[in-house]
Amino acid sequence: MRPDRLMSQKPTDMKKSFKQVLSLLKDYKLKLIITFICAVISTSFTVISPILIGKATTTIYDGLTLLYKNQGTIDLNMLFNLLILASILYIISAIFTYLQSWFLTQISTNISYSLRKRLIEKVNSLALKDVDEKKRGDILSRITNDVDSLQTGITSTFIQFMTAIITIVGVFIMMLSINVILTLITVVLIPIAVLIMSFVIKRSQRYYKEQLNYKGQVNAHIEETFGGQDIIRVFNQEEDSIKSFKQDNNKMYEYEWKSQFYSSLLGPIMNFISNLEYVVIAVIGAIFVLQKAIMVGDILAFFQYIQNFTQPIQQITRVINLVQTALAATERIFEFLELEEEDDSATLIIDDIYDAIIFENVKFAYEDEDYVINDLTLKADKGEKIAIVGHTGAGKSTIVKLLMRFYDINSGEIKIDNVNIEEINKNSLRSMVGMVLQDTWLFNGTIRENIRYGNLDASDSEVEQAARIAYADDFIKQLPDGYDTILNEDTDNISIGQKQLLTIARTVLSDKKILILDEATSSVDTRTEKLIQDAMDKLMENKTSFIIAHRLSTIKNADKIIVLDEGKIIEQGTHNELISINGGYYKSLYNQFEAEGFVS
């Protein structure tokens, strides 16, 4: 699925999103049943209590009438019993309200935990090309903001919807028991409310979806801005960065304002209808009392029931925005979860290389672009060091991505020990490969933990030995906490060159059969480069290695150098063989670099 499809302008498919929410709830049937029972008990007792208060009011009214006529007094015993019973019902109702909230919070928290776990697993199971296509900030927004919106929606709205429906049904029954005509006047509110809510939902739902989409865009921009602060400032691009951020932020503001505006219309409209009903019921109720068709206490109870009847409808209108946000978030979450996972159906397991790696007439293009690799044929015997040179965009890094099956070729074959790599399990294939890239990847943790990432079972002495081979041991020991020094979140408390040394130490520790060094020494000084090159030569003994470098000094000792241009091999051989070709690409490149001091 392409990013532009993920950012589509279509409104949320509410029916589909609602089914997706139900699919998340199906594993919690027992807790949902208990929650429902608690809601029924809590709401039922709340509904019954006003009729008792009404009877207590009637008792007081009748007693005062008798006192006025000197024919009796207030039945305090009856009054006391009614008030005690009403109080007990309210207390029990409060207890069961707490219980339903407790169970529902458990359910929503478990769903939130499960969804974040599934989303992270999805990221790790997607094909690398799909991960590359997505903006990291948008993915993070789905994992954090959207899951939070869904959790809030389940916790807040589920209770309120369930309670509201039970309350409406219960109150309707109690109102009928008091007076049918007054009840029919009151329930006119329901179709009016439904029509209003339908209108608002239809107009506002697409705005909730776009609000979340642009929130993802804003998060992506913030992440890029924090990560590239040094570059932004060096090139004086602060104003352009702010301008770009404002565009996305303004769009997010626009859709958020529109969604909130439509939702906010519901409250005032419903309040107006509710207040109008109070006036109508008060007038008609007064007439019924004068006609002795209804008791004073009953009319008081009926007023309480009107409030109990309109309140849940108003409650539903207030949480409509939460519902719409939750449904839009659900669609975005499942939109990502439904992306096709990387196919790894091959079952062949390998643990070593015995012969050679062969690229045979390989062609490859990214999407519908022109071929990046065009009819490439290459053989790397076991233990050979293959250097790949060429201008930017010639296809150097693409070759190693194809070898690890981050992308699948369009035609041709890549074989290990004469076996097509498409028959080899991807995890098995990749477990054979150790990589040192130009862009280092270290995480927030100790230096020891970052090196041990190459082999989680390695002992402390093995970690330190790997650091010594990579010439990282000296600078590590000069740090205040040595190997226990904690790298911060951006790992900017050590230099770029030191980061590179740590990634090299990690690769040394992993002891893989195939090594890929993509500009591995690009960020270190010349002296350190020579030391690392010696370590790499030792590291690459009996290992098949692919070296991508612009500094030609790092590849002079390679067993074979291939020169790429537009995805084709235009020259290949040893350094001495290629340098002897008059007018050759490699020779001209070497002479240029030598003149500029990049070759030693």
Side-chain angles (χ1 to χ4, degrees):
M1 186 176 291
R2 302 287 296 169
D4 53 349
R5 288 179 64 189
L6 285 178
M7 295 298 294
S8 62
Q9 297 291 322
K10 65 182 179 66
T12 301
D13 185 342
M14 294 188 65
K15 186 177 179 180
K16 181 180 177 183
S17 297
F18 187 70
K19 287 181 178 178
Q20 289 167 339
V21 173
L22 291 180
S23 72
L24 295 173
L25 294 171
K26 70 180 182 180
D27 294 330
Y28 304 93
K29 290 178 182 176
L30 179 59
K31 286 187 177 180
L32 283 172
I33 290 171
I34 295 173
T35 304
F36 180 76
I37 292 170
C38 289
V40 170
I41 295 173
S42 170
T43 308
S44 298
F45 286 175
T46 302
V47 168
I48 294 171
S49 297
I51 201 74
L52 298 176
I53 300 297
K55 289 185 180 299
T57 305
T58 300
T59 301
I60 295 172
Y61 177 81
D62 290 344
L64 291 174
T65 303
L66 291 173
L67 277 173
Y68 179 76
K69 294 180 180 180
N70 292 319
Q71 294 176 354
T73 185
I74 299 172
D75 189 345
L76 295 177
N77 207 21
M78 171 73 76
L79 179 62
F80 181 77
N81 289 335
L82 288 170
L83 293 177
I84 289 292
L85 183 55
S87 300
I88 292 172
L89 292 181
Y90 278 126
I91 292 171
I92 295 174
S93 175
I95 293 171
F96 279 95
T97 299
Y98 168 78
L99 288 175
Q100 72 168 346
S101 298
W102 187 76
F103 279 112
L104 202 54
T105 301
Q106 271 196 335
I107 293 169
S108 63
T109 304
N110 287 338
I111 288 174
S112 176
Y113 170 83
S114 175
L115 277 177
R116 287 199 174 96
K117 183 171 178 288
R118 286 173 62 186
L119 287 164
I120 289 296
E121 289 172 350
K122 190 69 177 186
V123 171
N124 290 329
S125 66
L126 288 176
L128 190 64
K129 64 182 181 65
D130 289 325
V131 176
D132 290 342
E133 286 175 355
K134 310 294 179 289
K135 288 189 175 183
R136 285 181 295 174
D138 184 63
I139 294 175
L140 290 174
S141 184
R142 293 171 195 255
I143 297 173
T144 54
N145 296 331
D146 291 349
V147 173
D148 284 343
S149 295
L150 177 57
Q151 182 178 356
T152 301
I154 292 174
T155 306
S156 301
T157 63
F158 191 84
I159 289 177
Q160 295 189 57
F161 266 109
M162 186 166 54
T163 304
I165 292 169
I166 296 170
T167 301
I168 290 171
V169 172
V171 168
F172 178 71
I173 294 170
M174 298 304 293
M175 289 168 72
L176 280 175
S177 69
I178 296 174
N179 190 280
V180 175
I181 296 175
L182 294 180
T183 303
L184 293 176
I185 294 171
T186 305
V187 297
V188 171
L189 175 64
I190 293 181
I192 296 174
V194 170
L195 287 173
I196 292 171
M197 285 190 286
S198 298
F199 174 81
V200 170
I201 291 171
K202 185 177 179 181
R203 294 292 186 280
S204 64
Q205 188 56 41
R206 68 178 293 265
Y207 297 128
Y208 282 96
K209 175 76 179 295
E210 292 307 317
Q211 172 194 338
L212 293 178
N213 282 337
Y214 276 100
K215 183 180 285 188
Q217 293 271 64
V218 167
N219 286 345
H221 188 93
I222 291 171
E223 184 183 356
E224 290 169 359
T225 301
F226 271 103
Q229 269 297 301
D230 49 351
I231 303 299
I232 290 171
R233 297 191 186 196
V234 164
F235 289 98
N236 295 317
Q237 294 297 315
E238 293 93 335
E239 288 188 10
D240 285 341
S241 177
I242 292 171
K243 182 180 178 181
S244 177
F245 173 80
K246 280 183 176 179
Q247 288 175 348
D248 287 340
N249 201 31
N250 286 341
K251 279 290 185 182
M252 178 180 162
Y253 167 81
E254 177 188 344
Y255 286 119
E256 186 170 8
W257 182 86
K258 287 180 178 178
S259 63
Q260 294 298 327
F261 169 75
Y262 275 107
S263 293
S264 65
L265 290 176
L266 292 171
I269 293 172
M270 296 307 299
N271 279 333
F272 172 76
I273 295 172
S274 176
N275 291 332
L276 185 62
E277 279 206 333
Y278 270 111
V279 174
V280 173
I281 295 298
V283 172
I284 297 175
I287 294 171
F288 285 173
V289 169
L290 292 174
Q291 294 176 346
K292 299 190 181 297
I294 192 171
M295 302 297 293
V296 172
D298 288 339
I299 197 65
L300 179 64
F302 200 90
F303 272 116
Q304 181 65 45
Y305 282 130
I306 291 176
Q307 183 180 358
N308 288 347
F309 189 79
T310 58
Q311 190 176 34
I313 297 175
Q314 292 172 340
Q315 186 175 295
I316 290 173
T317 62
R318 284 195 296 269
V319 299
I320 281 294
N321 61 331
L322 289 177
V323 174
Q324 293 182 101
T325 301
L327 291 176
T330 301
E331 181 172 350
R332 281 169 47 83
I333 291 167
F334 276 87
E335 202 170 43
F336 190 76
L337 288 174
E338 289 168 1
L339 288 175
E340 187 176 346
E341 295 185 3
E342 184 178 33
D343 177 45
D344 194 12
S345 57
T347 56
L348 181 62
I349 305 297
I350 60 173
D351 57 11
D352 204 347
I353 296 177
Y354 301 98
D355 187 9
I357 298 173
I358 299 173
F359 289 72
E360 192 172 284
N361 302 319
V362 171
K363 288 187 176 183
F364 172 74
Y366 292 100
E367 296 298 332
D368 298 326
E369 301 171 13
D370 295 332
Y371 284 118
V372 180
I373 301 297
N374 197 350
D375 202 26
L376 182 140
T377 297
L378 167 67
K379 182 179 180 183
D381 290 318
K382 179 179 179 179
E384 269 195 324
K385 292 187 289 184
I386 306 296
I388 308 172
V389 299
H391 61 78
T392 301
K396 303 185 297 295
S397 297
T398 302
I399 289 176
V400 296
K401 289 180 180 178
L402 296 178
L403 175 60
M404 291 187 291
R405 289 197 66 195
F406 288 155
Y407 295 85
D408 286 328
I409 61 178
N410 296 97
S411 63
E413 283 186 307
I414 302 174
K415 296 186 282 190
I416 295 178
D417 294 343
N418 216 31
V419 176
N420 193 318
I421 62 171
E422 293 183 3
E423 300 175 20
I424 302 172
N425 179 269
K426 287 182 180 178
N427 286 336
S428 172
L429 173 64
R430 292 166 186 170
S431 66
M432 300 270 291
V433 181
M435 297 181 67
V436 179
L437 305 178
Q438 181 178 9
D439 296 325
T440 58
W441 182 81
L442 299 169
F443 55 85
N444 181 211
T446 66
I447 286 177
R448 192 185 306 277
E449 289 169 341
N450 273 275
I451 296 175
R452 185 176 277 129
Y453 194 78
N455 180 2
L456 299 179
D457 297 324
S459 64
D460 287 351
S461 61
E462 289 172 327
V463 169
E464 293 170 14
Q465 175 63 20
R468 281 192 288 272
I469 293 173
Y471 294 93
D473 184 67
D474 287 343
F475 94 79
I476 294 173
K477 287 183 175 177
Q478 292 175 14
L479 297 172
D481 296 318
Y483 283 87
D484 294 320
T485 299
I486 296 177
L487 302 180
N488 61 26
E489 186 176 355
D490 296 321
T491 64
D492 56 7
N493 52 337
I494 58 174
S495 71
I496 295 175
Q498 289 170 337
K499 291 180 188 179
Q500 194 66 275
L501 292 174
L502 293 183
T503 60
I504 293 170
R506 177 196 293 164
T507 306
V508 170
L509 186 65
S510 67
D511 191 27
K512 304 296 186 180
K513 306 299 180 183
I514 303 171
L515 292 177
I516 294 172
L517 312 175
D518 191 347
E519 303 293 340
T521 59
S522 62
S523 299
V524 296
D525 57 62
T526 305
R527 177 178 174 277
T528 305
E529 180 187 0
K530 290 180 178 179
L531 294 174
I532 292 174
Q533 194 59 51
D534 291 338
M536 285 300 177
D537 288 339
K538 185 175 180 181
L539 172 67
M540 290 186 288
E541 289 178 4
N542 300 318
K543 292 180 173 64
T544 307
S545 306
F546 294 87
I547 309 163
I548 301 171
H550 287 304
R551 284 184 174 181
L552 300 187
S553 59
T554 63
I555 61 173
K556 287 170 62 176
N557 297 326
D559 297 310
K560 186 186 295 180
I561 299 172
I562 66 170
V563 183
L564 285 182
D565 184 38
E566 295 183 354
K568 297 179 180 179
I569 297 177
I570 57 173
E571 294 175 4
Q572 64 177 306
T574 64
H575 170 74
N576 291 332
E577 289 171 346
L578 294 178
I579 207 73
S580 66
I581 301 174
N582 289 325
Y585 181 94
Y586 181 84
K587 182 175 182 178
S588 64
L589 188 65
Y590 184 84
N591 291 337
Q592 177 186 342
F593 273 63
E594 188 175 40
E596 295 175 358
F598 288 106
V599 178
S600 59

